[in-house]
């Protein structure tokens, strides 16, 4: 793709390819793509794209164990996303993951709880689910049922369609033949 003709499309394509690399545990491969995407977004003064790319760079750094670089990347993303409360909540959630990776679960839980509250308020249930999952990983008491308590606290009903009558199958009308 010609960067000069369609810079936003190229930056989006580079970001998408890098996101695939990150999800396939190839974070080091993603960094070159993301740096190029960041340069394009910066030249185009596209702050939302720049914040998105900085967040991905920081997430790759977390995966690579480069925690100081990740913290700096999240700080750059936070500046780029100024005025976008939903994007800032995503930064908070990522910083909570970083805190947990650094071995600071108490700090992680505080940050993740703040992000989860905002995701709940905005109806961003996919982000809320991911953040709740990160909270579960950060909990020192993450026994086999601790996730249920977190789900209830986040407003999830683990069995939203469970019938009140445990013997509901016996009382269901049978279809006529």
């Amino acid at each position: 793709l010609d960067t000069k003709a369609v810079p936003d499309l190229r930056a989006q394509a580079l970001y998408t390819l890098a996101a695939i690399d990150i999800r396939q545990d190839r974070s080091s491969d993603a960094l070159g793509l993301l740096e190029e995407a960041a340069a394009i977004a910066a030249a185009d003064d596209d702050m939302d794209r720049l914040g998105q790319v900085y967040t991905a760079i920081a997430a790759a750094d977390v995966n690579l164990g480069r925690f100081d670089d990740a913290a700096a990347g999240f700080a750059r993303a936070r500046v780029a996303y100024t005025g976008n409360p939903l994007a800032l909540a995503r930064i908070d959630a990522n910083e909570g993951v970083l805190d947990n990776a650094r071995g600071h679960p108490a700090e992680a839980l505080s940050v993740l709880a703040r992000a989860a509250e905002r995701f709940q308020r905005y109806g961003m249930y996919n982000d809320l689910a991911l953040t709740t999952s990160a909270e579960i990983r950060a909990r020192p008491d993450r026994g086999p049922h601790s996730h249920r308590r977190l789900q209830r606290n986040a407003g999830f009903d683990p069995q939203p369609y469970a019938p009140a009558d445990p013997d509901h199958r016996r009382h269901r009308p049978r279809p006529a033949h």
Side-chain angles (χ1 to χ4, degrees), residues 76-140:
R76 290 188 316 194
R78 189 174 292 283
V79 170
Y81 276 140
T82 299
N84 185 336
L86 209 45
L88 293 173
R90 288 184 178 126
I91 299 292
D92 284 344
N94 278 290
E95 287 176 332
V97 170
L98 171 61
D99 286 339
N100 196 42
R102 283 182 157 170
H104 304 291
E107 291 88 346
L109 287 168
S110 172
V111 173
L112 291 166
R114 186 174 63 237
E117 185 276 324
R118 279 188 267 159
F119 293 141
Q120 176 79 31
R121 185 171 357 122
Y122 287 107
M124 302 300 295
Y125 297 112
N126 187 48
D127 291 296
L128 178 60
L130 293 170
T131 303
T132 300
S133 175
E135 285 181 288
I136 291 167
R137 286 190 301 280
R139 293 195 68 80

